[in-house]
Amino acid sequence: VNGDPMPAPDHQIAALWIGGPLSFLEQLCLVSYVAAGHHVKLYTYDGVTNVPPGIEVADAGEIMPIQKDVVHETSGSPAPQSDSFRYNMLAKLDRTIWADTDAYCLRPHVPREGHFHAWGDRKDIYSGVLALPRDSETLGRLIELTADPYRIPPFLQGDKRAELEEAAAGGTPMHAGQMPWGVWGPMALTHYLKETGEVRFSMPPVTLYPVAYKDRRLLLRPGWEASAQITAESLSIHFYGRRMRRRIVTHEPGGIPRPKSVLGKLLRRPF
């Protein structure tokens, strides 16, 4: 990626990994931040055996206890727990940017007035790479929301809200993992950034999510010309890890991205 050089990063990158060894995709993404000059801190609850050199491993319990019952019911994903963790982490740590382990760094990340977030599509601001000031109104409201997994989010309306209210009135309230996907993530982040006016700091999709979720397979297509989407403005590429890992296993020869695909080229990029 070409473009004017950015200042050397003075913010660390922090991530969370729950469950089992890292795949090569997470290893690649974590190392990309080290290569960009960031200190990288990987939080885990059970430890991870195959973390690449140069990455600090830390106890996630320092931020908050594990919430084993807060998982997305249909997928089994710990996404709601990860959402709660990142907000509490940002409130506790100085000069820290959260990054999902499927975010690949192209250029150093430099927040503006403590903010670092971007639209993922026309509807939502994604939380895959995120910084908020510790005194951010948005951050405070996100922590308040995620402190109670049974709280009905104020932004859910219509039939879905009626369903949640009926369940609560009947004595069987639904927890966050039974609510729509992203209820503690992009849905909540977008709502509160708009409500507080901090949405003015949100960057366009090209910065952190240059390849949309619906186009993710292009990252594995040999010969795909990426320059129209991944430009000099792009600071990161999001790989939508769970779906991408599955696609690699089911569709790539030997479970390895082909050399002329975007991901294949990045795997061969010298650091």
Side-chain angles (χ1 to χ4, degrees):
V1 176
N2 296 319
D4 296 331
M6 296 183 68
D10 62 356
H11 282 63
Q12 72 171 346
I13 300 297
L16 174 68
W17 184 251
I18 301 174
L22 301 171
S23 78
F24 69 80
L25 183 62
E26 291 84 41
Q27 292 175 329
L28 174 71
C29 290
L30 290 167
V31 169
S32 73
Y33 280 100
V34 176
H38 287 282
H39 176 76
V40 178
K41 196 169 189 176
L42 180 64
Y43 284 96
T44 77
Y45 285 103
D46 299 319
V48 183
T49 58
N50 62 339
V51 177
I55 293 163
E56 179 186 357
V57 179
D59 178 9
E62 295 174 2
I63 303 297
M64 63 184 298
I66 193 168
Q67 299 170 288
K68 292 184 178 180
D69 56 334
V70 183
V71 297
H72 190 248
E73 191 169 77
T74 56
S75 67
S77 168
Q81 180 177 179
S82 176
D83 292 326
S84 179
F85 183 93
R86 76 191 66 187
Y87 305 143
N88 282 276
M89 182 200 75
L90 290 174
K92 290 184 176 183
L93 302 180
D94 281 320
R95 310 191 79 78
T96 298
I97 300 170
W98 166 274
D100 284 351
T101 53
D102 55 359
Y104 182 94
C105 182
L106 294 170
R107 301 173 70 196
H109 293 359
V110 182
R112 181 163 62 102
E113 295 182 39
H115 287 267
F116 199 76
H117 38 82
W119 291 90
D121 52 36
R122 294 181 179 181
K123 179 185 175 186
D124 287 321
I125 297 159
Y126 289 0
S127 54
V129 179
L130 178 67
L132 293 165
R134 294 173 72 182
D135 61 354
S136 157
E137 287 185 56
T138 296
L139 184 58
R141 294 179 195 185
L142 288 166
I143 291 172
E144 182 182 6
L145 171 69
T146 58
D148 178 5
Y150 293 96
R151 180 182 175 188
I152 300 175
F155 45 85
L156 290 182
Q157 301 297 328
D159 291 345
K160 177 51 68 174
R161 185 170 195 86
E163 179 186 358
L164 293 171
E165 290 177 343
E166 182 179 351
T172 56
M174 295 186 187
H175 63 75
Q178 296 171 297
M179 298 180 195
W181 178 265
V183 71
W184 279 3
M187 292 175 67
L189 179 64
T190 305
H191 172 78
Y192 290 125
L193 284 171
K194 287 181 176 180
E195 190 175 70
T196 63
E198 293 175 354
V199 68
R200 68 187 183 276
F201 293 105
S202 295
M203 301 178 290
V206 68
T207 54
L208 300 179
Y209 311 98
V211 180
Y213 174 76
K214 65 180 178 62
D215 295 329
R216 63 191 182 281
R217 294 179 183 177
L218 294 175
L219 294 164
L220 292 171
R221 182 179 297 175
W224 175 59
E225 180 48 63
S227 60
Q229 289 176 249
I230 303 172
T231 73
E233 295 179 72
S234 301
L235 306 174
S236 176
I237 303 172
H238 214 77
F239 281 114
Y240 311 102
R242 187 166 58 92
R243 296 295 180 88
M244 183 63 76
R245 289 193 301 270
R246 183 185 306 163
R247 181 83 183 177
I248 291 170
V249 170
T250 59
H251 288 75
E252 298 301 301
I256 301 173
R258 284 165 284 188
K260 293 185 178 180
S261 68
V262 170
L263 185 50
K265 290 176 182 177
L266 291 177
L267 281 169
R268 291 160 180 80
R269 175 187 172 195
F271 286 108

